Amino acid sequence: MASVSLESVSKSFGTHTVIQDVNLQINDGEFVVFVGPSGCGKSTLLRIVAGLISASKGIVSIGGDDVTDVPASQRGVAFVFQSYALYPHMSVARNIGFALETLGLKRDAIAQKVSAVARMLKVDHLLERRPRELSGGQRQRVAIGRALVRQPEIFLFDEPLSNLDSDLRMEMRMEIAKLHDDLKTTMIYVTHDQSEAMTLADRIVVLNHGRIEQVGTPKQLYHAPDNRFVAGFIGSPRMNFVPVTMRQAAGAGRIEGPGGLSLSASMQTSSEPVAEIGIRPEALRLVAADKGRITCTLERIEDLGHEHFGYCRIADDVIWVIRLATAPEHDLIGTRVGLDFSEAAVFVFDANGKRLTVNHPSVVKAIEGTGR
Ligand SMILES: Nc1ncnc2c1ncn2[C@@H]1O[C@H](COP(=O)(O)OP(=O)(O)O)[C@@H](O)[C@H]1O
Ligand SMILES: [Mg+2]
């Protein structure tokens, strides 16, 4: 097991800067997830940790040692990729044990380690099969086994579940979480899927255009995003936003927006004016048009059985999604409705997308309860 530290790490391909001044400390035994949209630099950053590509600038340390110039094979890391390129002509057992063969271990020792790993990953009944005789999930288990057998200091996963269908993805997600619970090895896991990040991570690193937007526990990112990007990226369906203006009236500030939206500006403690507010679909309640904090037109309802989503037009170019436990009457579609919510559920942002802090006790409480 080992800690990982990145100090001022940057990477350019030609003139194209892909990673910009990344500073990050990963603790020994921690499960850290890199998440962000496609092309934001997740794989590049993971490969820099692995030593598969070198940083253009900065220092990479593992277990306190500077490994910036140490080759991948000597870093004590094992990599699991999205496309698990198993050797097609080798049995499962040989695929898992191959790294040990190349290290020159004795056949008995290899067989012992392979069978222990295979048991752990529930592929011990498949050891004689060839990869083509396995399902996608079984192949991915073998790929994980191949990494596991080397007893690495650090596991690196790059979107390992993206090729699997959704049921299998759930199942493998649980297996990987359990693997971490059992082994307590440091793991860094890359995904573009925020729900995978939320369920697996001790801490999440949100990347965007090669920069870290925020590092925090899943709860911190959900309840206290630093900015609009993180607020919109974490949570599904995503947070609803609407531009607002600040107005001073009779000495008190108000935040005003479309649909009759008017909030007290006491929510705001910073001197920066609020430019936009955000509210999550699960924080909205459907009420009569004259009862809500905002009025809108209910345009559409999606029925998923256990939950329902309403699509409400707030303004010409703004639609909010609302999560409902029970389906509203269908004759409400196309009519004016109200949305109600508590002020504590409102996130406020300045013109640069920075979240302005709010002093609501309920928000503070949620953020404080983040120890995992
Ligand atoms: N070897 C390379 N040469 C040039 N550009 C690259 C190379 N590898 C990645 N990139 C670019 O770097 C950016 C980040 O890529 P990547 O780290 O793969 O993103 P992610 O894994 O988040 O989808 C992309 O714009 C990609 O095109
Ligand atoms: Mg990638």
Side-chain angles (χ1 to χ4, degrees):
M1 293 204 282
S3 60
V4 178
S5 142
L6 302 174
E7 286 168 67
S8 306
V9 168
S10 297
K11 177 70 187 177
S12 304
F13 292 107
T15 56
H16 181 36
T17 301
V18 172
I19 297 295
Q20 302 194 48
D21 195 28
V22 164
N23 290 284
L24 181 65
Q25 301 292 326
I26 296 172
N27 301 322
D28 191 4
E30 201 172 13
F31 198 136
V32 166
V33 176
F34 294 172
V35 73
S38 178
C40 70
K42 304 179 294 293
S43 295
T44 303
L45 195 59
L46 196 69
R47 283 160 182 270
I48 290 172
V49 173
L52 296 173
I53 53 179
S54 54
S56 309
K57 267 194 264 172
I59 299 171
V60 180
S61 307
I62 294 180
D65 299 325
D66 182 343
V67 296
T68 313
D69 299 317
V70 172
S73 59
Q74 288 163 37
R75 290 194 183 187
V77 302
F79 216 116
V80 181
F81 297 94
Q82 175 180 351
S83 53
Y84 30 82
L86 301 176
Y87 302 111
H89 57 287
M90 288 185 194
S91 66
V92 165
R94 263 200 92 196
N95 262 289
I96 294 177
F98 191 69
L100 304 179
E101 272 184 47
T102 58
L103 288 175
L105 257 71
K106 293 245 166 55
R107 196 183 282 191
D108 283 357
I110 295 177
Q112 232 171 40
K113 283 178 191 264
V114 166
S115 97
V117 162
R119 261 200 313 277
M120 189 172 221
L121 292 167
K122 296 188 219 137
V123 291
D124 44 341
H125 58 299
L126 305 172
L127 285 173
E128 299 313 316
R129 289 205 197 166
R130 300 292 149 108
R132 67 168 182 278
E133 298 162 335
L134 304 177
S135 69
Q138 290 168 336
R139 278 183 218 158
Q140 191 55 294
R141 278 168 209 263
V142 175
I144 294 171
R146 203 164 52 170
L148 200 61
V149 80
R150 297 168 51 199
Q151 294 177 295
E153 299 273 316
I154 303 168
F155 267 107
L156 305 175
F157 294 93
D158 193 350
E159 311 232 11
L161 309 185
S162 300
N163 284 345
L164 306 179
D165 64 41
S166 72
D167 276 357
L168 205 50
R169 215 156 51 219
M170 290 291 212
E171 191 184 322
M172 287 300 294
R173 192 153 92 187
M174 302 229 307
E175 303 268 330
I176 289 173
K178 179 158 187 315
L179 202 62
H180 182 254
D181 286 347
D182 292 346
L183 300 173
K184 309 214 164 23
T185 307
T186 311
M187 293 188 178
I188 310 178
Y189 186 107
V190 162
T191 179
H192 63 274
D193 177 347
Q194 64 86 34
S195 67
E196 219 167 272
M198 291 295 276
T199 51
L200 283 171
D202 292 324
R203 279 192 308 153
I204 298 175
V205 177
V206 182
L207 289 167
N208 185 26
H209 296 307
R211 289 181 192 277
I212 293 183
E213 293 276 355
Q214 191 171 357
V215 181
T217 61
K219 274 195 174 127
Q220 280 167 341
L221 298 192
Y222 181 87
H223 293 289
D226 280 349
N227 54 54
R228 188 189 189 284
F229 181 83
V230 175
F233 196 81
I234 299 291
S236 175
R238 70 196 284 274
M239 187 182 284
N240 299 299
F241 296 99
V242 69
V244 293
T245 50
M246 293 286 293
R247 195 169 65 84
Q248 291 293 325
R254 303 287 305 169
I255 297 171
E256 300 198 332
L261 180 72
S262 176
L263 301 165
S264 74
S266 63
M267 321 184 24
Q268 183 193 4
T269 57
S270 153
S271 55
E272 280 303 302
V274 175
E276 201 171 16
I277 67 156
I279 186 152
R280 296 195 184 278
E282 52 274 31
L284 295 169
R285 284 183 306 279
L286 188 65
V287 294
D290 58 344
K291 292 286 192 310
R293 285 180 178 273
I294 190 165
T295 53
C296 52
T297 305
L298 180 62
E299 291 202 339
R300 192 179 144 71
I301 297 165
E302 272 178 8
D303 183 343
L304 302 183
H306 68 299
E307 61 184 354
H308 306 81
F309 295 112
Y311 292 80
C312 304
R313 188 168 296 281
I314 303 291
D316 282 349
D317 52 355
V318 182
I319 289 189
W320 279 12
V321 179
I322 167 171
R323 178 181 288 154
L324 305 152
T326 53
E329 298 300 324
H330 267 263
D331 57 12
L332 276 182
I333 291 176
T335 67
R336 298 293 285 171
V337 295
L339 299 179
D340 201 18
F341 50 87
S342 121
E343 279 198 352
V346 177
F347 294 82
V348 292
F349 303 94
D350 71 12
N352 296 317
K354 183 176 171 297
R355 186 171 67 90
L356 303 170
T357 45
V358 175
N359 279 337
H360 280 296
S362 60
V363 176
V364 174
K365 198 163 150 230
I367 298 164
E368 280 169 351
T370 50
R372 273 170 60 105

